[in-house]
Amino acid sequence: MSMTVRTATLAAVALLLAPLAARAADPKFGYVDLQRALEEIDEGKAAKAQLKKDFDEKQKQLDQRTDEVKRLDADFQKQSLVMAPDAKAAKSAEIERKKVEVQQFFVGLQQELAGREREITRGIFDKMVAMVRELAEAEGFTMVFDRNTVLYAPPSLDVTNELVRKYNARFGAGKAAAPKKADAPAPTKKADAPAAAPAPAKK
C-alpha cells in the first residue's frame, strides 16, 4: 500500500470512529491489517489477478519493442563498416530514436499500471474503512487501528479475519450483495403450503 493511500485510509478510520470513542463507557480496542485484508479478500485477489494480466500484456509489448531495437542494432553493427557515412549516420540516429521510444513506452507503462492500481485499491480501501466502522459499532469497539501504526498488540485484538469474512460476504469478487427484499405477506390460502425458499444472493 502506498504511503498516500495508507495515510488517507488511517485518517478516514480515525474520523469515522471518533464518535464511538466519545460515547464509549468502557474502552475496547482492536486493530486490522488492511494490507493483509486487501490480499485475502476475493475482490482484492481478483484485482491483483487483473493487474497482473494487464502487466503481462504490456510487458509482452515492451519485450517485442526491445527485441526489435536489439535486432536493428546488431544488424547495424555488422553493416556499419561497409555503409556510406551519411547512411551510417542516418541509421544510427534511427536506432537511437527507437531506443528513446522504447524508454518512453516503459515509463508510460509504469505510470499507467501504477495509476490503475491506485484507482482500484482506493475503492476497495474506502469500502473496507466503511466496513470497519460497521464492525466496530456492532462489536462495541471504541477504536480500531491499522496494524501498521501499532508497535505491539496481542493477537486477540486482531479483527482482520472478521473484516475479510464480512467483506467477502457482502462484495464477493467485486459485486455488491443484492439488496434484501421485503418479507412477503403471510399466505391467506393453503396455509400448510411450504414457503418459497429465498433466492440465493448473487456474488
Side-chain angles (χ1 to χ4, degrees), residues 69-143:
V69 172
K70 289 181 178 180
R71 180 181 57 79
L72 291 173
D73 193 37
D75 292 341
F76 173 68
Q77 296 301 326
K78 295 177 181 178
Q79 301 170 6
S80 61
L81 296 178
V82 296
M83 294 177 67
D86 291 346
K88 182 177 179 179
K91 192 65 175 179
S92 178
E94 177 188 356
I95 293 175
E96 289 302 318
R97 184 176 67 254
K98 287 186 176 294
K99 288 181 179 180
V100 172
E101 291 175 353
V102 170
Q103 181 63 27
Q104 291 174 340
F105 180 80
F106 172 71
V107 173
L109 170 61
Q110 287 185 315
Q111 294 175 344
E112 177 185 351
L113 293 177
R116 288 202 60 202
E117 182 177 12
R118 286 194 300 270
E119 179 182 357
I120 292 174
T121 56
R122 184 182 297 116
I124 296 176
F125 278 121
D126 287 345
K127 288 188 286 187
M128 282 200 296
V129 168
M131 187 152 290
V132 166
R133 173 165 186 163
E134 291 182 14
L135 190 154
E137 291 178 337
E139 301 296 332
F141 283 96
T142 306
M143 296 191 72

Side-chain angles (χ1 to χ4, degrees), residues 14-200:
L15 289 174
L16 286 171
L17 299 183
L20 297 176
R23 65 172 181 265
D26 298 320
K28 180 179 179 181
F29 302 102
Y31 67 88
V32 293
D33 189 334
L34 293 176
Q35 185 60 43
R36 177 166 74 84
L38 175 64
E39 295 173 355
E40 293 183 2
I41 61 175
D42 295 337
E43 189 176 1
K45 293 177 181 178
K48 183 177 181 180
Q50 182 60 51
L51 287 171
K52 184 180 185 304
K53 179 180 178 181
D54 294 343
F55 172 81
D56 291 343
E57 292 177 353
K58 295 294 185 179
Q59 183 66 48
K60 184 177 180 179
Q61 297 177 25
L62 177 62
D63 291 342
Q64 291 174 342
R65 297 188 180 204
T66 302
D67 291 342
E68 178 186 2
V69 172
K70 289 181 178 180
R71 180 181 57 79
L72 291 173
D73 193 37
D75 292 341
F76 173 68
Q77 296 301 326
K78 295 177 181 178
Q79 301 170 6
S80 61
L81 296 178
V82 296
M83 294 177 67
D86 291 346
K88 182 177 179 179
K91 192 65 175 179
S92 178
E94 177 188 356
I95 293 175
E96 289 302 318
R97 184 176 67 254
K98 287 186 176 294
K99 288 181 179 180
V100 172
E101 291 175 353
V102 170
Q103 181 63 27
Q104 291 174 340
F105 180 80
F106 172 71
V107 173
L109 170 61
Q110 287 185 315
Q111 294 175 344
E112 177 185 351
L113 293 177
R116 288 202 60 202
E117 182 177 12
R118 286 194 300 270
E119 179 182 357
I120 292 174
T121 56
R122 184 182 297 116
I124 296 176
F125 278 121
D126 287 345
K127 288 188 286 187
M128 282 200 296
V129 168
M131 187 152 290
V132 166
R133 173 165 186 163
E134 291 182 14
L135 190 154
E137 291 178 337
E139 301 296 332
F141 283 96
T142 306
M143 296 191 72
V144 178
F145 300 92
D146 183 352
R147 180 67 181 86
N148 292 302
T149 67
V150 179
L151 294 179
Y152 170 77
S156 59
L157 300 184
D158 188 354
V159 294
T160 306
N161 291 339
E162 184 66 6
L163 171 62
V164 171
R165 186 187 68 78
K166 288 181 176 295
Y167 194 102
N168 284 338
R170 179 173 302 179
F171 299 107
K175 296 181 180 180
K180 295 183 178 179
K181 297 181 180 179
D183 293 336
T188 56
K189 296 181 179 180
K190 298 182 179 179
D192 57 340

